[in-house]
Amino acid sequence: MLIAVIPGDGIGPEIMSASLEVLSSIGFFPEYVYLSVGLDKWKRENIAISEDDLDVLKRADAILKAPITTPPSMRNSFSSVTLTIRKELELYANIRPLQSFPISPFKDINIVIIRENTEGLYSGVETFNGKTATTKRIITKKASERIVNFAFQYALNNWRKKITCVHKANIMKMTCGLFKEVFLEVAEKYPEINSDELLVDNCAFQMVSNPENLDVLLTTNMFGDILSDLGAALIGSLGLLGSINIGEKSILFEPVHGTAPDIVGKNIANPTGMIIASTYMLDFFGVKKGEKIRKTINKLFGNRLDLTKDLGGKATTKDFVRTLINLMDN
Ligand code: NAI
């Protein structure tokens, strides 16, 4: 089993080493190949990710990835490595489970966001003529059918009852209109799963006011990105969520948050999202201990042991990992 590890930028290496320590502690020793792609590589070599790196990623059985910086100021010279990987490996489905922990401000949240990952407003097709900047929002029938079918299959395989299509088809009649139309068509093939729809602004409101009515939220690229950060606030911190990016041939596990430049090198990053992402990888390989790690994280939070600063505690990243591993041993 070959796992490509991307330690990433910013707090990436800190949370990746925390996550790998937890995996070692449960006796998970696959073959790892480390890829230092991202901003640091770009500064050293003037390239953020090479064809060789992409080949390694394509050959790996799974990819475990920490966040990578995309500086907004380098308009013409630096493309997002995260988006490049998603596009090159056709990782078309991004799954972001939102589940309350004992420390969460909103209890009993159990929502899964499924986001189309390869097009929409993150098409990367942008122009600027000195006066006007444009971004092309590309929605294709093919990619919409692929993600909608994926979402219904996901719901069936994971005992989910309802899928809500989240869009803004009243304003973006062509792009969101197509996405919604495909959703309604595909939904007819799955009568056992309830389906409904919400405008994205109302969805943001419902996530805060009536989250218990929401089950699977299916949406386009940027809406999914924004709504999952809102979801992270309901759960308690951006540092708590893991995600899965799935394609036909590749699978990548990563936390939902970014490189957190404001806390780099301070040993205070919350590694939970990275660790949760790695437990999804264990599930994928059929390694039963993923569930044990998640239960132990719940126990740690339930007893308010060693919380990191984002959760109001004083623990360092290393304290958190030590306590988690000790709790699992007991
Ligand atoms: P961010 O998620 O890095 O940070 C937002 C806030 O959340 C900050 O206050 C940060 O300290 C906090 N935070 C995030 N993760 C945390 C953790 N594990 N523990 C404790 N606090 C945490 O978002 P921001 O500032 O918008 O982006 C920073 C960089 O990250 C940008 O260059 C962006 O492009 C990149 N990014 C990369 C992603 C990826 O590789 N998948 C995803 C999102 C952003």
Side-chain angles (χ1 to χ4, degrees):
M1 183 189 301
L2 179 68
I3 296 179
V5 173
I6 300 179
D9 298 315
I11 59 167
E14 298 168 50
I15 57 172
M16 180 60 82
S17 102
S19 180
L20 295 179
E21 203 179 325
V22 173
L23 291 179
S24 304
S25 79
I26 56 134
F28 183 71
F29 295 109
E31 185 186 347
Y32 289 123
V33 52
Y34 291 83
L35 293 177
S36 69
V37 301
L39 185 62
D40 282 345
K41 181 181 172 97
W42 188 87
K43 283 181 186 159
R44 282 192 317 271
E45 303 171 28
N46 215 17
I47 180 168
I49 183 164
S50 66
E51 285 300 325
D52 286 351
D53 295 326
L54 287 168
D55 282 346
V56 173
L57 294 179
K58 284 176 189 164
R59 275 192 287 112
D61 297 303
I63 302 159
L64 193 57
K65 173 185 167 294
I68 295 176
T69 301
T70 309
S73 54
M74 296 152 76
R75 188 153 52 194
N76 296 319
S77 54
F78 192 97
S79 310
S80 161
V81 172
T82 302
L83 295 193
T84 303
I85 294 172
R86 288 176 187 166
K87 280 201 183 123
E88 289 287 326
L89 275 64
E90 284 252 18
L91 299 170
Y92 66 88
N94 187 323
I95 306 171
R96 297 186 159 186
L98 306 174
Q99 254 163 1
S100 299
F101 291 106
I103 36 86
S104 298
F106 285 68
K107 309 297 173 199
D108 305 322
I109 300 245
N110 187 0
I111 298 171
V112 177
I113 296 181
I114 298 183
R115 154 185 172 199
E116 204 293 324
N117 221 12
T118 59
E119 52 181 33
L121 260 176
Y122 294 172
S123 66
V125 184
E126 296 201 295
T127 57
F128 179 52
N129 66 7
K131 288 187 180 155
T132 308
T134 56
T135 297
K136 236 185 195 172
R137 184 170 198 256
I138 296 168
I139 301 283
T140 63
K141 192 164 187 195
K142 189 171 165 213
S144 302
E145 282 172 351
R146 185 171 62 174
I147 192 71
V148 176
N149 277 294
F150 175 89
F152 277 97
Q153 286 299 333
Y154 178 92
L156 282 179
N157 295 338
N158 292 278
W159 303 278
R160 292 278 168 175
K161 294 193 165 55
K162 183 174 78 168
I163 303 185
T164 303
C165 177
V166 180
H167 60 78
K168 191 74 183 176
N170 55 336
I171 306 292
M172 292 187 277
K173 294 184 197 307
M174 292 294 163
T175 51
C176 272
L178 175 60
F179 191 75
K180 175 184 154 180
E181 193 180 295
V182 169
F183 175 76
L184 295 176
E185 254 171 54
V186 174
E188 286 186 14
K189 290 197 298 182
Y190 295 92
E192 59 278 62
I193 306 288
N194 294 321
S195 52
D196 63 4
E197 52 182 290
L198 276 178
L199 295 179
V200 63
D201 39 354
N202 186 13
C203 180
F205 175 71
Q206 296 299 331
M207 281 177 74
V208 178
S209 55
N210 299 301
E212 64 287 351
N213 292 343
L214 303 174
D215 190 346
V216 175
L217 301 177
L218 169 65
T219 191
T220 48
N221 208 339
M222 192 177 76
F223 293 163
D225 197 9
I226 295 171
L227 291 177
S228 50
D229 273 30
L230 169 61
L234 305 179
I235 303 299
S237 164
L238 258 179
L240 293 173
L241 302 187
S243 72
I244 310 164
N245 296 263
I246 297 183
E248 302 294 349
K249 296 192 186 135
S250 301
I251 189 158
L252 179 151
F253 303 87
E254 65 180 340
V256 307
H257 61 77
T259 52
D262 49 337
I263 58 168
V264 179
K266 294 185 177 163
N267 191 21
I268 56 168
N270 186 341
T272 306
M274 187 75 242
I275 295 170
I276 295 274
S278 68
T279 69
Y280 297 151
M281 183 176 76
L282 294 177
D283 296 347
F284 171 71
F285 287 121
V287 178
K288 299 265 184 300
K289 298 229 169 118
E291 184 59 25
K292 180 174 180 192
I293 297 172
R294 289 191 291 269
K295 280 192 175 143
T296 313
I297 290 174
N298 260 294
K299 193 166 152 192
L300 186 156
F301 287 148
N303 292 309
R304 301 191 68 79
L305 300 170
D306 276 341
L307 301 183
T308 43
K309 191 164 178 243
D310 53 320
L311 298 173
K314 291 201 166 88
T316 63
T317 311
K318 289 197 164 78
D319 293 334
F320 178 92
V321 172
R322 199 177 312 116
T323 304
L324 178 64
I325 291 174
N326 284 342
L327 271 182
M328 278 195 297
D329 289 342
N330 293 323

